[in-house]
Amino acid sequence: MTRKPSTRQLIDWDHRYLWHPFTQMQEWEQEEPLIIERGKGSYLIDTEGNKYLDGTSSIWVNLHGHRHPVLDRAIKKQLDNIAHSTLLGLSNPPAIELARELIRIAPKGLARVFYSDNGSTAVEIALKMAVQYWQQRRPEAGPKNTFLHLKLAYHGDTIGAVSVGNIDLFHSRFKPLLFSTLEAEPPYCYRCPLNLTYPTCRMACIDPIEEILKRHHRELAGFIIEPLMQAAAGMIPQPGGYLSRIRELCTKYDVLLIADEVATGFGRTGSMFACEHEEVTPDLMAISKGLTGGYMPLAVTLTTDEIYRGFLGAYVEFKTFFHGHSFTGNPLGCSVALANLEIFKSEKTLVRLQPKIKMMARLLEPLRQLPHVGDIRQSGFMVGIELVEDKQTKNPYPLEERVGHKVAMEARRRGLLLRPIGSVMILLPPLSASPSELRRMIEILRASIETVMQLSVSNQYSSPSTGPVAPLMSENKDVRD
Ligand SMILES: *Cc1c(COP(=O)(O)O)cnc(C)c1O
């Protein structure tokens, strides 16, 4: 047996060999990273035995907590059969059973399951299916090869997904690689582009969308949208009635509606899928993050029978959907996804979530009074708190001030892990978080905002991100089991 490397050794190797996602590595190499070794419930535990509340659900994927016995057991049991076999020319029981279960719970009308590994690939597949569908099923509808999407949209980091995204900081550099699309203003009510207020605005921001559809529907294969909440934009919610109106317009103008439920799916917004809030059935739907309860990389693109049939024909017609990945339909991932759906039933996850959603809203309300809290946006267990330099003018903080990062570092010091988006603090607890854990998360978030804001006002604040962190939670070391 080789000896376990020390934390010091791991940090050195991390600094020497790893390249972290969405991370300025020059800065990273100066910092002492937390190295998470274990987890339990809503907590992550580092190599030194310090425990932290997982305020991002490990970047939006975890649902029932870490080390859930049902999920753990599902993977171990599948492993006794086989870790992986392919769906190219073969099938496997977990992939078949999961497909059946997903169709059972998906918005009515979705009838087929296509597997891949992550949210970006699920989106790429939806885009490619849409384009090929129009070519094969409705060639007379004309060359429908482009897409409409909202500004500030995020659909993943692969090139097709970036093409239908619009977050300048992430995307602008890759413009030369991207296919062209049509864009519309999102319903960012806090900073309404039309300077109106909901509901008296009567969602006037949809009029320009109808205008685009009217003028361009002949070339539009689809309208891709994150239903209910534009998550990576900094949690921008859509007002009630918005999504169903978009559905109506897509139907009217013969444009496929592609719902990207990668972030919103699996209970995040309080119902199994965000589309359910408005009884909307999209033509294509991408799911991933919560699909396996946050255990394994797995994704699905769901579609209707109508679209599926567009790909049927004799082999020589070459209507085949020529797309697939090495790990498509991975049995370990599908097994744990099945167990995830079992937990939704056995633990009544969605029923038990409702009072906790209300409780979070109640606990967050007083934070609106804080001097630099501009807006608090919540849909179910997705929360964005937008920090602004000036509450009256809504003047944003300059990116280089990194207030979100500073607040997150303060929260870490207090035992809560967060990952902000610019100046928007994101709180996305596991659905299984207990009322007292939720209360604790919001207390820490509040104290961290207050601390950083006070210090930044008196201008003495320097980022606490360098040097080892000392979480103030050692009284709770019992989760080390
Ligand atoms: C995270 C996310 C994606 C990308 O998923 P990956 O698994 O990171 O590729 C796509 N769409 C939305 C809405 C997301 O939140």
Side-chain angles (χ1 to χ4, degrees), residues 6-63:
S6 65
T7 302
R8 185 75 263 150
Q9 181 70 82
L10 288 168
I11 290 174
D12 289 345
W13 288 342
D14 179 293
H15 282 161
R16 193 162 341 149
Y17 299 114
L18 262 181
W19 189 343
H20 288 263
F22 284 95
T23 301
Q24 176 43 261
M25 292 304 292
Q26 180 173 309
E27 193 174 86
W28 178 267
E29 288 180 25
Q30 309 303 315
E31 295 177 0
E32 299 273 313
L34 275 191
I35 302 176
I36 299 304
E37 193 176 56
R38 290 168 308 126
K40 179 99 191 187
S42 302
Y43 288 91
L44 296 170
I45 303 154
D46 72 9
T47 44
E48 297 294 291
N50 300 309
K51 50 178 269 196
Y52 302 85
L53 283 160
D54 187 356
T56 72
S57 296
S58 294
I59 308 294
W60 313 0
V61 298
N62 193 280
L63 303 178

Side-chain angles (χ1 to χ4, degrees), residues 147-155 161-168 171 181-188 193 205-210 212-213 220 222-231 233 236-239 242-243 246 249-250 257-258 260:
F147 293 90
L148 173 59
H149 59 88
L150 297 179
K151 290 183 180 168
L152 300 179
Y154 178 81
H155 297 293
V162 169
S163 294
V164 292
N166 172 291
I167 296 185
D168 262 358
H171 298 157
T181 58
L182 295 166
E183 297 179 340
E185 290 293 340
Y188 191 175
C205 56
I206 293 189
D207 297 345
I209 294 179
E210 174 150 26
I212 294 173
L213 285 166
L220 277 170
F223 183 167
I224 182 166
I225 189 167
E226 296 164 76
L228 231 63
M229 191 67 125
Q230 281 188 281
I236 299 179
Q238 293 146 18
Y242 186 91
L243 184 64
I246 296 293
L249 289 175
C250 284
L257 177 63
I258 304 173
D260 178 353

Side-chain angles (χ1 to χ4, degrees), residues 1-2 7 23 75 81 95 104 122 156 181 224 328 336 395 402 438:
M1 277 279 281
T2 48
T7 302
T23 301
I75 293 185
N81 290 333
R104 213 201 286 279
T181 58
I224 182 166
T328 298
V336 73
N395 203 26
R402 306 196 71 201
L438 293 170

